Each structure stands twice: as C-alpha cells, then as structure tokens.
Amino acid sequence: MTLTKTLSFQLDIQTKNGESRLLESRQEARKAYNRTIELAKQGTDWNKIPDIIKQEVDLVVNTTQRIVEKALEAMENYYDFDDYNLPSHNKDSPYPLRSNYTEGYNLFLSGDAIQFRISGKPYKPVKGTLEGSKRDIELVRKGLENDRWKLGTSEVIKKNGNYELHVNITDTETEVRDSSTSQTLIGVDINEDNVALTAVSENGVEDSIVIEFPEVKSERHKYHTIRNRVQESEKYSTYNAISNKEQRFVRDRVHKLSRTIVDWASQFDPPCIVFEDLKDMRDEINYGKRMNRRLHAMPFGLIQKYTTYKANFVGIPVVKINPEYTSQECVNCGHKSKSNRHKKRFKCQECEYQDHSDRNASINIAERGVKEYVSWNVPSLNNPPVCRTVRRKASGIVDVPTATKSNQKDLSNATLSVLTAGRSSGVKPRSSSR
Ligand SMILES: [Zn+2]
C-alpha cells in the first residue's frame, strides 16, 4: 500500500532578504494562478496554457507547472462538481509556492537538523533550517536516507506571520497489520460535540477518554447561518469565501482530532481502531433523531477518513461494525432500550448499571470489534476505569477537571452537573437544567 502524508515545518530562514524573496515568489505564483484561470475562462486550449504561462512568469519552470496544474484542477472541480463556484482570476493575496523535490526545493541532512533550499525565482534561493516535531523531522530523514520513503511536492505558505513549508512524503511500502493480530480494540463513538474512545483488551476495559470539541459544532452552525443570509442576497463570491473558510476550519480541526485519536490508540499493545459503519447508518433511517443529529452536526465521514489514513500510515488497522443499538445497549446485562439513555447519562432500565452514555457506546463498539475481528473471547466489560474528559482546542488537548466513576450505582446528580458544567465552560456550574 502506498500512503502519502503532509508534514508541516516552520522555516528558520538564514538567507539575507530571504523573506522578501519568498514573498516575491509567492506573488509570482499568484500571477501564474490568476493568468491560468483567466486563460481557461477565455477558452484557451488547456494543453497550451503551461507554455504560455512559462513565458510570462519568472519562476523555476517546474514550479510554474505545478501552479498551473493546481489552477486547472480548480477549474476542473468547477466543471465536475458545481455550477457557481467558478475560481476567481483575481486572487489578491500571494499564492502558495508549490514545487517539486530537487527542482523547486531541496532538503539536506546536517547532523540532527534538516536544511532547506527553496528556489522560487531562478538563481534566488532561500536557505535555512526546518523546525518541526521530532516525528516529522524523523520522517524527512527517512525520505532522505531510505528508498522506501519518497519526498514529493511541497508548498511554501505564510501562516500567522510565519513562513511554513508543507512537504508531502510517501511511504511506498506501508504495511497495515492484519486486524486479527490485534490485542487491543479501540471503540470510537463519534457524537455531535465529542468523540468517546475505549480500549478493550483480553483483560477488559483498559482505559476510556472523552474528547470534547464544542467549537466544531458551533462554528458549523455559525457559518451555516451566515451562508443562508448571504445566499438570500445572492452574493456568490462572499458565499464561496465563507464556504471555503468553514471548510478549512473544519478540516483543520478534524485533522487534529484524528491525530489525537491515533496517538491515543498507539499507546496500547497492537491496537485496532473500530468505527461504526457509516453506510449502515445511512441505510437505517430508523435510528431516529440522535443518529440524524450526529450525521448532520459532525463531519462523520471526514473524521473516519482522516483517522483511517493516519492510523494506516503507522500500520494500525481500522475496521467497521454495524452501529445498531450501540448507544442503547447495556454493557452489563445486554438490555437494549431507548430509555436506557438520557442525554449524556446511561442508566440501564433493567439492571440499573450507569455510565457516561457516549463511553458506554464506545465500549459496545469495541466489543463488537472483538466479536467480529479477533479470536480471543470478549472479557467482562462492566467494571471500566474512571472515564477522563479532555477538551480538544486548536492549541492542543486540555484536561477538563471532571471525572466520573462509571459503575457507581448511585451516580449522583451532583456529579452529573459537574460534568455538564465542565462541558459548557469549565467555570460556571450549571445546575441540572434538563
Ligand atoms: Zn443492564
């Protein structure tokens, strides 16, 4: 299997006037982009566009080609997918400088560090050192030393005032471990405002975590509202700008969330990630309000897709199970009922077993993974450890200072309201407003 991943680095620029050289190159890249779109709109033969742009733009030839390619891709998407999102040929901010490894940019090992050399305009290279996570630096090292890993196109962009280099790296021989060899199954329950994870091994529930991200839902709602308003006034360019902004926001958050899921799963002995099968969920309209709400509120498919990709990249298998009743079934006695669940509280009507309802669902998901994909027996799951709640923010993961013991028979209202307060703000306690 071949998998490609994008690594991000900050650029520690050591060339004099390096920043302004990069800016000039990005302005030139914008010119290449805008001109390509303009020509395409005029009906110029797409095969002829690259040669025309090469004459007009002062960039390394290969880099020009990459940018023309990107612009034509945008045109193609317009023709293929929608009728109104016509790319503009008046982009006014500098464009990402896109180039091929060894042609527009180069990387070198220098002791423990990685040096870069970026040539936007010919004969005006910018040099310096890459700064990034250990993991990403290590992958570049593999790319430089090992034939199995291939460095691909990169983009120079400016983010929050800093220059960054985004490098594609391909693992040409990714081996995803066979799911049947897994000793820990990680059940993933995706909800409107959180993702609950539970790790189940032969010994029972190893650990659980609930990752909250209230911002995705609220941002989606915000953009949705603005979009409707704009749509009414028929300002399509504003409409597109908003859609793109929302998409970037959601993708960014989903990337970080899926990274957190894979990191959490990685701490266990050969893990396997278990998702609910989205196809089954769509087919089964009868799942009712909760399922519909989840499907609408969360970029469900995107979370599964990004997580699968990142997991596979490090060899972790991902499987899917039938989602029927995962949120209504009691881990203790197997009783299934809608009334077992009241929002975030699970209380079995049959045996009175209690838990955080999303955590309970994630245990069920992991359990189905065990039944379907490995040869060991399902252990007893009715005595899980305390479930920790953390909040996923742009800056990273933050602990929410609440915890609940799952299997207390009398999970008090006090504990529950602390839980609710933690979710809403972490500061102001909200008495039970249910
Ligand atoms: Zn029960």
Side-chain angles (χ1 to χ4, degrees):
M1 197 196 279
T2 297
L3 289 180
T4 301
K5 188 179 174 179
T6 307
L7 315 172
S8 319
F9 300 99
Q10 303 263 326
L11 296 184
D12 180 10
I13 297 170
Q14 280 135 25
T15 301
K16 203 181 162 214
N17 299 327
E19 291 235 356
S20 53
R21 281 187 179 187
L22 288 179
L23 176 62
E24 280 172 32
S25 304
R26 285 164 60 239
Q27 285 165 339
E28 207 62 16
R30 170 183 63 198
K31 188 172 153 192
Y33 182 92
N34 284 343
R35 193 67 182 117
T36 302
I37 301 286
E38 197 182 11
L39 289 171
K41 281 183 185 169
Q42 286 167 6
T44 310
D45 180 351
W46 285 20
N47 294 320
K48 292 186 177 142
I49 293 179
D51 284 332
I52 300 173
I53 307 287
K54 252 184 262 171
Q55 303 302 319
E56 296 182 4
V57 165
D58 183 25
L59 283 173
V60 169
V61 171
N62 192 273
T63 298
T64 310
Q65 279 170 347
R66 296 286 78 77
I67 295 161
V68 171
E69 215 172 73
K70 185 89 178 168
L72 290 178
E73 227 170 75
M75 286 300 288
E76 214 161 72
N77 283 340
Y78 163 69
Y79 290 126
D80 287 353
F81 298 118
D82 59 51
D83 292 331
Y84 57 84
N85 197 7
L86 184 60
S88 157
H89 57 274
N90 301 313
K91 271 198 191 304
D92 46 13
S93 49
Y95 198 70
L97 190 63
R98 197 176 168 80
S99 57
N100 269 11
Y101 181 57
T102 71
E103 284 164 290
Y105 82 103
N106 223 326
L107 300 173
F108 313 93
L109 270 179
S110 160
D112 284 342
I114 310 279
Q115 303 279 335
F116 66 84
R117 183 179 191 277
I118 297 162
S119 321
K121 294 191 168 195
Y123 313 115
K124 286 187 178 176
V126 177
K127 298 179 193 174
T129 310
L130 293 187
E131 287 178 353
S133 71
K134 255 192 185 163
R135 176 163 51 201
D136 286 1
I137 297 274
E138 192 45 44
L139 278 171
V140 171
R141 176 189 299 281
K142 282 181 178 169
L144 292 170
E145 289 178 337
N146 191 327
D147 279 348
R148 173 177 158 179
W149 304 81
K150 301 246 180 288
L151 291 159
T153 47
S154 76
E155 279 190 358
V156 177
I157 62 156
K158 198 169 186 182
K159 203 171 169 186
N160 306 324
N162 293 314
Y163 270 106
E164 290 185 3
L165 185 71
H166 294 180
V167 180
N168 281 334
I169 186 162
T170 302
D171 179 356
T172 58
E173 299 165 29
T174 310
E175 277 183 31
V176 178
R177 194 168 34 74
D178 193 276
S179 56
S180 67
T181 63
S182 305
Q183 285 169 30
T184 316
L185 295 198
I186 315 290
V188 183
D189 181 55
I190 302 171
N191 297 288
E192 282 177 273
D193 49 5
N194 74 35
V195 169
L197 307 178
T198 288
V200 168
S201 76
E202 252 181 307
N203 304 320
V205 175
E206 295 285 342
D207 199 6
S208 292
I209 192 172
V210 174
I211 306 164
E212 299 181 335
F213 44 91
E215 19 166 31
V216 171
K217 186 183 165 195
S218 63
E219 285 289 304
R220 283 195 131 204
H221 181 74
K222 184 179 97 191
Y223 284 121
H224 187 73
T225 314
I226 304 174
R227 230 179 9 232
N228 282 350
R229 246 181 263 144
V230 172
Q231 206 169 18
E232 279 160 21
S233 64
E234 294 185 352
K235 286 180 186 155
Y236 284 136
S237 60
T238 317
Y239 178 92
N240 294 335
I242 291 163
S243 294
N244 291 338
K245 205 172 161 193
E246 179 195 6
Q247 216 173 52
R248 273 200 304 276
F249 175 87
V250 171
R251 277 170 199 272
D252 176 70
R253 291 308 185 276
V254 172
H255 264 300
K256 284 170 175 150
L257 176 67
S258 53
R259 163 58 51 211
T260 309
I261 296 173
V262 174
D263 280 349
W264 195 81
S266 302
Q267 66 179 309
F268 299 98
D269 281 335
C272 172
I273 293 174
V274 189
F275 279 125
E276 291 173 293
D277 198 326
L278 195 60
K279 202 180 118 285
D280 288 347
M281 289 169 70
R282 291 229 167 93
D283 290 349
E284 201 53 65
I285 300 160
N286 292 336
Y287 284 126
K289 267 196 270 174
R290 175 172 177 265
M291 202 63 99
N292 286 332
R293 235 184 15 238
R294 289 163 74 204
L295 282 171
H296 282 120
M298 280 312 298
F300 227 93
L302 209 61
I303 294 176
Q304 293 197 347
K305 186 174 150 193
Y306 286 4
T307 306
T308 303
Y309 208 91
K310 286 177 167 58
N312 286 347
F313 199 84
V314 291
I316 298 176
V318 176
V319 297
K320 289 181 178 173
I321 52 95
N322 185 332
E324 211 170 4
Y325 303 117
T326 47
S327 66
Q328 299 172 14
E329 187 175 336
C330 173
V331 158
N332 189 41
C333 73
H335 177 66
K336 292 172 196 156
S337 164
K338 233 179 209 173
S339 46
N340 280 351
R341 186 188 174 113
H342 281 281
K343 297 193 172 166
K344 295 299 177 192
R345 182 184 190 184
F346 184 94
K347 185 179 181 189
C348 180
Q349 300 303 298
E350 195 71 33
C351 72
E352 299 202 324
Y353 173 87
Q354 295 190 48
D355 199 355
H356 183 296
S357 54
D358 299 328
R359 190 260 278 268
N360 180 71
S362 69
I363 297 179
N364 282 323
I365 292 168
E367 180 186 15
R368 288 181 198 190
V370 175
K371 282 182 182 157
E372 213 171 311
Y373 293 97
V374 294
S375 53
W376 37 277
N377 293 327
V378 178
S380 108
L381 300 170
N382 58 2
N383 192 20
V386 170
C387 179
R388 197 162 68 100
T389 303
V390 297
R391 190 163 297 157
R392 180 72 254 211
K393 286 273 187 194
S395 51
I397 209 162
V398 186
D399 265 297
V400 175
T402 56
T404 173
K405 184 88 175 94
S406 64
N407 53 337
Q408 285 167 340
K409 281 260 154 106
D410 57 342
L411 189 62
S412 65
N413 274 334
T415 319
L416 265 176
S417 68
V418 171
L419 243 160
T420 322
R423 202 165 16 254
S424 63
S425 69
V427 190
K428 46 172 196 257
R430 205 168 66 186
S431 55
S432 52
S433 53
R434 283 167 291 124

